[in-house]
Amino acid sequence: MKKYKMSGIQKKYLWYMGCLLIIALVLSSIGVWSYVKKNMTGVIVDKYEFMNEKMGISLDNLYKKTDAVTAEIILNDDVQKSLKNKGLQEVEKNTLSKYFAYIDLNHVADYCYVDNKENVYAKSYTQLNYKEFQDSGMQASLGKEYAKTKWIWTEDTLFGSKEDALFIGRYVNSMDYAHDPGMIFLKMDEKFLNEIIEKDQKMSKDVAVGIMSPDGQYCVQKSPDNFELDNEDKAKLKKLARTKKSGVIMQGERIECGILQVYRQKESGMLVYTLVPNAVLDQGMKQVLLVLIMIYVLVGVLAFLISLYVSKIFTNPIKRISDAMTSFDGTDFTNTINIRTDTELDKIGDAYNEMLNTIEESQQEIKNQQQELRISEMNTLISQINPHFLYNTLDTIYMLARINGEEKTMKMIQALSKYLRLSLSKGRDIVTVEDELENVKSYMEIQQIRNENLFRYEIECEEELKSRWILKLILQPVVENAIKYGFCDIFEGGLIRIRVTEQEGKLTLSVYNNGVPMEQSVVDKLNGLSELPVSKMKDSFEDKKHGYGVVNIITRLRLKYGEDVKFFYEADEDGTVCIIQIPENGKKNGEL
């Protein structure tokens, strides 16, 4: 029987799985220890410490509210009037009794105001006299602090319910005279204090919360089912109630039943407490179990992912090669691939990188050839202009020599010489603005000799723009069209105005003539030529009447400056203007 031999991939797979199990055990141990030790109890206690402190602040705010309300009662005009020697009339007494029913304080169950003349003011249905007030013993609960609002948790002997309730009491002193003070007592219903511990019902349902009076009586208490404080913990709370400290007086204290937080309100002496039972703390163990489950789920996911990883160790390089070849668009040669698998795939990656390098070199060579072809095309287009014009000029010189004699012939020859010299410009395709203007000026002088009195010309150019470099022979064909077609129906009074300016960073050349305006259809056709690709503009050469010279200029400008150059006509009833806008470059030298 042939012995089974394990493959290298299987060995690696078992190695990875063994390492994974070790990692899982380590993570489990670390997770249980760190969570129980650092987080479980701390997170739970912090949450309820914050809740208890919020209840304490609510108790502070509630006391401040009652203090403000009793102060407002003291300042009431009718209350102050009741403390004077004369006292109140019967109608005024009824008004004062009703006043206390509308004070700005919620959950007032009953009220009693006693002035310094033994008059008692209460609700209309409360039959309460001064003797009954004295027998209740409520006056003694105010003590000797004449300017302080007192919270009193005691049995209701004043209104006869005999149930424990919270009373808000205060002496009412005269603001003008040294009379004996009156007394105000507000009996609060159970909702007054219940609202404090019921604000966070979702959080407080699992813990014991309550409010205790300064003498250790439970004003409000709420606890989970099947939970009760033991005697030792009750004694501890009563001891805390008698302390003189205020604010947070106990935080995160471990007691028999759980963890205790206590806040004492300074002025009233009321105690608000939160006790987190041990059962709530033990619930954290469920979270620990959940963590363990999550860890092992993570282990399973990692095991699956590692299995995929093993299978893709050799397929990923192939995918990388495929993606690189698919995404290659013929322009980005920097996206090379680097594969190191110690297999034949490395050779494929290297071959692909060499292929990119070869394509890039070939593409650069083609670009260089195209550039040389464009230069050749430009030179060919220029050569198409010079012989044509030279033939017409020589013919004109011949005719003038026969008709007018030598003087005009010499003038025309001089202008022609200038034109030829500037046109040739030692074989360069760019000249300064000043030379280009001299060139077109020589052309116009020749045309003025041929067409006497037909037109005059104006040339405007800022001095600093004369040294700018531009493509040569771009104005002469425009001027030729202006004379040939703009002045075809006039015999004198023509005007050609050439301006060179700089607008928005572009060198702008305009050629205006006041002859017959160009038809709008012709304007649209010529302006549309500048929107065509250079390769398609050659087809427009056949339209020699309007397009030959324009196509020649636009082609040369586009080949030289690219798509940023602008060439267009505008026509109105005053004449026609041709505008050429050249990008800002070539200011100081001839390298455009």
Side-chain angles (χ1 to χ4, degrees), residues 333-578:
F333 299 95
T334 61
N335 189 22
T336 58
I337 54 178
N338 184 21
I339 298 175
R340 292 293 177 265
T341 61
D342 295 329
T343 66
E344 289 78 7
L345 294 175
D346 297 352
K347 295 181 180 180
I348 297 176
D350 294 339
Y352 173 78
N353 294 337
E354 291 177 4
M355 181 187 69
L356 287 183
N357 186 48
T358 302
I359 295 174
E360 184 178 14
E361 291 176 355
S362 300
Q363 195 174 86
Q364 186 62 42
E365 184 178 351
I366 292 173
K367 287 181 180 179
N368 294 337
Q369 292 175 355
Q370 289 178 342
Q371 184 67 25
E372 293 174 0
L373 179 60
R374 287 189 176 188
I375 295 173
S376 176
E377 287 178 349
M378 290 174 61
N379 293 333
T380 301
L381 291 171
I382 293 174
S383 68
Q384 291 175 355
I385 297 175
N386 290 336
H388 176 72
F389 176 68
L390 180 59
Y391 175 79
N392 290 336
T393 303
L394 291 175
D395 183 65
T396 303
I397 293 173
Y398 174 77
M399 295 298 296
L400 288 176
R402 293 181 58 187
I403 297 171
N404 299 318
E406 295 183 0
E407 184 176 349
K408 287 186 177 181
T409 302
M410 292 175 62
K411 186 176 181 180
M412 181 172 281
I413 292 173
Q414 184 180 15
L416 178 60
S417 297
K418 282 185 178 181
Y419 177 81
L420 290 175
R421 176 177 58 83
L422 294 170
S423 296
L424 295 174
S425 62
K426 297 182 181 180
R428 292 188 301 176
D429 60 344
I430 57 173
V431 295
T432 62
V433 171
E434 184 176 17
D435 287 343
E436 178 67 8
L437 293 176
E438 282 294 326
N439 177 277
V440 74
K441 179 180 177 182
S442 299
Y443 174 79
M444 289 189 291
E445 288 178 353
I446 293 173
Q447 292 296 345
Q448 282 181 328
I449 296 173
R450 292 183 61 195
N451 305 281
E452 188 173 2
N453 298 325
L454 177 63
F455 71 94
R456 62 186 178 86
Y457 66 85
E458 298 175 359
I459 299 178
E460 301 177 11
C461 179
E462 298 177 8
E463 191 65 31
E464 61 270 18
L465 298 180
K466 291 182 178 181
S467 61
R468 295 279 288 272
W469 291 83
I470 60 172
L471 192 64
K472 69 181 179 181
L473 293 179
I474 58 175
L475 293 178
Q476 181 272 328
V478 178
V479 172
E480 181 180 354
N481 282 348
I483 297 172
K484 186 174 182 180
Y485 302 111
F487 300 150
C488 62
D489 294 334
I490 65 173
F491 299 98
E492 62 180 9
L495 171 64
I496 293 177
R497 182 186 298 115
I498 300 176
R499 287 180 176 172
V500 182
T501 59
E502 187 170 23
Q503 299 178 9
E504 298 180 357
K506 293 184 177 182
L507 183 66
T508 303
L509 302 91
S510 65
V511 180
Y512 164 80
N513 75 84
N514 65 346
V516 178
M518 186 181 294
E519 296 179 2
Q520 188 60 42
S521 61
V522 178
V523 171
D524 294 339
K525 181 177 181 181
L526 294 178
N527 290 347
L529 290 175
S530 61
E531 303 298 328
L532 296 174
V534 174
S535 60
K536 294 184 179 181
M537 290 177 61
K538 296 180 181 180
D539 299 335
S540 301
F541 278 21
E542 297 299 326
D543 187 4
K544 295 184 178 180
K545 181 177 180 181
H546 297 105
Y548 178 81
V550 172
V551 171
N552 190 300
I553 297 171
I554 297 175
T555 301
R556 293 169 54 226
L557 287 171
R558 293 273 292 279
L559 288 172
K560 193 66 180 177
Y561 299 104
E563 300 297 328
D564 291 336
V565 72
K566 301 295 181 184
F567 182 99
F568 56 94
Y569 276 93
E570 293 178 353
D572 55 29
E573 60 184 9
D574 296 329
T576 305
V577 61
C578 177

Side-chain angles (χ1 to χ4, degrees), residues 166-360:
L166 176 66
F167 288 83
I168 308 297
R170 186 169 181 173
Y171 284 110
V172 180
N173 294 286
S174 173
M175 304 299 294
D176 299 320
Y177 305 99
H179 295 305
D180 291 335
M183 290 168 283
I184 180 71
F185 290 94
L186 305 175
K187 178 185 176 182
M188 312 308 295
D189 63 24
E190 60 183 10
K191 292 182 180 180
F192 184 73
L193 292 177
N194 278 340
E195 282 189 349
I196 296 176
I197 65 173
E198 291 177 354
K199 284 185 177 180
D200 293 314
Q201 290 186 4
K202 290 183 178 180
M203 291 180 59
S204 61
K205 66 179 182 178
D206 297 326
V207 297
V209 294
I211 299 176
M212 182 176 282
S213 67
D215 57 357
Q217 297 185 63
Y218 290 97
C219 305
V220 180
Q221 59 178 332
K222 180 181 178 183
S223 59
D225 296 337
N226 302 321
F227 176 82
E228 186 177 354
L229 286 170
D230 60 20
N231 293 331
E232 185 177 345
D233 293 337
K234 290 179 179 179
K236 191 176 188 67
L237 280 174
K238 288 184 178 181
K239 182 178 179 181
L240 290 172
R242 296 184 178 90
T243 184
K244 299 301 181 182
K245 297 179 182 179
S246 60
V248 179
I249 61 176
M250 182 170 288
Q251 190 170 18
E253 181 76 13
R254 169 66 73 172
I255 60 175
E256 187 68 24
C257 295
I259 294 181
L260 182 65
Q261 287 77 225
V262 180
Y263 186 100
R264 185 177 184 275
Q265 207 283 321
K266 182 178 180 181
E267 290 81 6
S268 67
M270 291 284 189
L271 208 72
V272 58
Y273 67 87
T274 302
L275 195 154
V276 185
N278 291 325
V280 174
L281 297 176
D282 293 339
Q283 287 178 357
M285 295 305 298
K286 296 180 181 179
Q287 296 179 340
V288 175
L289 179 61
L290 180 61
V291 169
L292 287 174
I293 294 174
M294 291 177 61
I295 290 175
Y296 286 111
V297 169
L298 179 62
V299 169
V301 172
L302 288 176
F304 174 75
L305 293 177
I306 290 177
S307 298
L308 290 179
Y309 170 77
V310 173
S311 66
K312 292 181 179 179
I313 287 178
F314 297 106
T315 58
N316 277 341
I318 298 175
K319 187 176 182 301
R320 287 177 57 194
I321 296 173
S322 176
D323 291 343
M325 290 182 174
T326 304
S327 62
F328 178 64
D329 58 359
T331 58
D332 184 11
F333 299 95
T334 61
N335 189 22
T336 58
I337 54 178
N338 184 21
I339 298 175
R340 292 293 177 265
T341 61
D342 295 329
T343 66
E344 289 78 7
L345 294 175
D346 297 352
K347 295 181 180 180
I348 297 176
D350 294 339
Y352 173 78
N353 294 337
E354 291 177 4
M355 181 187 69
L356 287 183
N357 186 48
T358 302
I359 295 174
E360 184 178 14

Side-chain angles (χ1 to χ4, degrees), residues 56-69:
I57 293 173
S58 297
L59 198 62
D60 284 337
N61 293 335
L62 203 56
Y63 177 85
K64 291 177 182 178
K65 176 67 176 178
T66 60
D67 188 59
V69 168

